[in-house]
């Protein structure tokens, strides 16, 4: 696999064309991307016999890291106001529709979409990536607006939106696009769609539990634990959310045991289910945590 420093420099070089892009976005993208690719590398070797896509291909790996960095940046554009609302609207148009970006300072958006379009093993994955990006951006906007508004969502509404705002759909679709994982065909299977929804719900709950203390101290309300405490001050929210997490995990394991998905989907889903312990807890920046499981806010 490409050396970490070399990959990081390529992501940073691309990211410099995005207003508000920070080193942290690249660092966490490379670190997280390496974690995922290490977990699925044996399966990618197996699929490469069919697709001809090398798991060690530097161009594919860097493109994947850049998509992850984009998700971190977009999350902070919403939460931290890195760019003006009208700029964000233009960025979303480019990323969600694959059109040129007329705004100076955001050339990297069009560059990334053009590169992924050219690299797509299956053109359907590129179309789906645009759809997933539109859903991700809409969910980020909705969550930010809700947290700042007077009317609070129910837990069900929050989790429904959070499944899109966790960004896993983009991660999976980008991997499929680059290495030919046939996600477009698999989406026709109800069990696969159920697995995607369950792993995204698990990701949202893990994210919020891990970052709840930091979010609370920062005044961030877009977090399930904080939302529930606001509505039900006496509620044992951590216990409730851990029970929810355990339930979603059991349902995921049941579906995975009953269905057989082609490589590398089993190891990939397992990697994402393990991400709190294997990735969040080892972060030195965005996902850092203390003894109380605090830490900076994970990307939505």
């Amino acid at each position: 696999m490409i050396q970490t420093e070399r990959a990081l420099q390529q992501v940073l070089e691309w990211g410099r064309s995005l207003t508000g892009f920070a080193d942290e976005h690249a660092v966490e993208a490379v670190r997280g991307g390496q974690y995922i690719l290490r977990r699925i590398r044996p399966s990618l070797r197996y699929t490469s016999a069919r697709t001809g896509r090398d798991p060690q291909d530097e161009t594919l790996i860097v493109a994947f890291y850049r998509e992850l960095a984009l998700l971190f940046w977009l999350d902070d554009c919403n939460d931290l106001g890195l760019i003006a609302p009208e700029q964000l609207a233009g960025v979303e148009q480019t990323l969600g529709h694959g059109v040129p970006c007329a705004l100076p300072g955001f050339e990297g958006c069009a560059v990334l979409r053009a590169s992924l379009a050219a690299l797509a093993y299956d053109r359907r994955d590129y179309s789906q990536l645009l759809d997933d990006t539109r859903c991700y951006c809409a969910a980020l906007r909705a969550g930010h607006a809700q947290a700042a508004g007077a009317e609070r969502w129910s837990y069900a509404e929050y989790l429904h939106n959070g499944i899109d705002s966790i960004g896993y759909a983009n991660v999976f679709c980008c991997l499929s696009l680059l290495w030919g994982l046939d996600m477009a065909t698999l989406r026709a299977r109800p069990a696969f769609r159920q697995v995607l929804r369950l792993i995204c719900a698990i990701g949202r709950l893990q994210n919020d539990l891990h970052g709840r203390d930091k979010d609370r101290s920062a005044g961030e309300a877009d977090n399930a634990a904080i939302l529930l405490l606001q509505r039900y001050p006496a509620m044992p929210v951590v216990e409730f959310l851990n029970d929810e997490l355990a339930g979603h995990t059991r349902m995921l394991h049941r579906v995975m045991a009953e269905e057989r998905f082609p490589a590398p989907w089993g190891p990939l889903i397992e990697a994402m289910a393990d991400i709190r312990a294997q990735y969040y807890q080892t972060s030195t920046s965005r996902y850092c945590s203390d003894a109380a499981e605090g830490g900076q806010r994970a990307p939505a």
Side-chain angles (χ1 to χ4, degrees):
M1 186 176 293
I2 180 175
Q3 293 296 315
T4 300
E5 189 59 33
R6 178 176 169 85
L8 180 59
Q9 288 306 312
Q10 292 188 55
V11 177
L12 285 169
E13 181 181 353
W14 163 79
R16 291 190 185 101
S17 66
L18 299 177
T19 300
F21 190 88
D23 287 359
E24 177 198 288
H25 300 137
V27 170
E28 290 295 345
V30 171
R31 199 175 66 86
Q34 286 177 332
Y35 162 74
I36 293 169
L37 291 178
R38 278 196 301 267
R39 292 288 296 265
I40 67 173
R41 189 183 305 152
S43 296
L44 288 181
R45 292 196 190 104
Y46 174 80
T47 62
S48 67
R50 171 180 60 85
T51 64
R53 295 290 174 101
D54 184 355
Q56 306 285 354
D57 189 308
E58 179 175 321
T59 299
L60 303 180
I61 292 170
V62 171
F64 178 52
Y65 293 167
R66 286 173 175 172
E67 181 69 16
L68 295 184
L70 178 78
L71 298 178
F72 287 117
W73 176 73
L74 282 172
D75 184 42
D76 284 348
C77 284
N78 279 270
D79 288 349
L80 305 180
L82 299 180
I83 61 179
E86 60 272 17
Q87 291 175 316
L88 184 55
V91 163
E92 291 177 355
Q93 185 71 13
T94 294
L95 295 173
H97 296 275
V99 299
C101 186
L103 296 172
F106 302 99
E107 293 81 4
C109 296
V111 168
L112 181 57
R113 283 295 171 262
S115 69
L116 290 175
L119 290 169
Y121 181 84
D122 186 332
R123 185 72 185 184
R124 293 178 298 172
D125 280 332
Y126 179 69
S127 297
Q128 186 63 53
L129 183 69
L130 298 181
D131 290 344
D132 291 339
T133 302
R134 292 196 296 272
C135 289
Y136 177 67
C137 290
L140 289 179
R141 279 188 276 105
H144 184 69
Q146 183 278 328
E151 184 177 356
R152 301 187 186 117
W153 275 342
S154 67
Y155 170 72
E157 290 169 314
Y158 173 84
L159 187 59
H160 176 78
N161 190 71
I163 285 172
D164 287 331
S165 71
I166 194 64
Y168 283 10
N170 276 68
V171 175
F172 298 142
C173 193
C174 188
L175 285 167
S176 183
L177 179 154
L178 294 169
W179 280 281
L181 307 186
D182 205 22
M183 188 174 181
T185 300
L186 289 171
R187 282 178 185 267
R189 295 171 58 174
F192 186 78
R193 295 197 300 271
Q194 184 181 10
V195 163
L196 291 182
R197 184 168 182 83
L198 286 168
I199 193 61
C200 288
I202 288 168
R204 168 49 57 207
L205 294 172
Q206 288 181 331
N207 183 292
D208 287 3
L209 281 164
H210 183 80
R212 71 186 187 279
D213 291 337
K214 183 69 175 182
D215 286 350
R216 183 169 50 200
S217 65
E220 171 62 59
D222 192 18
N223 180 302
I226 295 171
L227 179 145
L228 287 169
L229 276 175
Q230 289 175 339
R231 294 179 69 95
Y232 312 105
M235 182 180 183
V237 295
V238 173
E239 291 83 352
F240 170 79
L241 292 176
N242 276 318
D243 283 346
E244 288 280 286
L245 179 57
H248 280 88
T249 303
R250 287 192 297 270
M251 289 190 288
L252 175 68
H253 288 162
R254 283 197 290 269
V255 179
M256 295 295 290
E258 293 167 0
E259 297 284 333
R260 288 293 180 265
F261 301 114
W265 289 101
L268 176 56
I269 296 301
E270 290 174 5
M272 301 307 286
D274 293 342
I275 205 165
R276 185 182 182 189
Q278 301 299 321
Y279 175 45
Y280 287 2
Q281 295 287 13
T282 60
S283 174
T284 57
S285 56
R286 191 177 188 90
Y287 291 94
C288 62
S289 61
D290 54 26
E293 285 191 19
Q296 294 187 4
R297 187 180 186 278

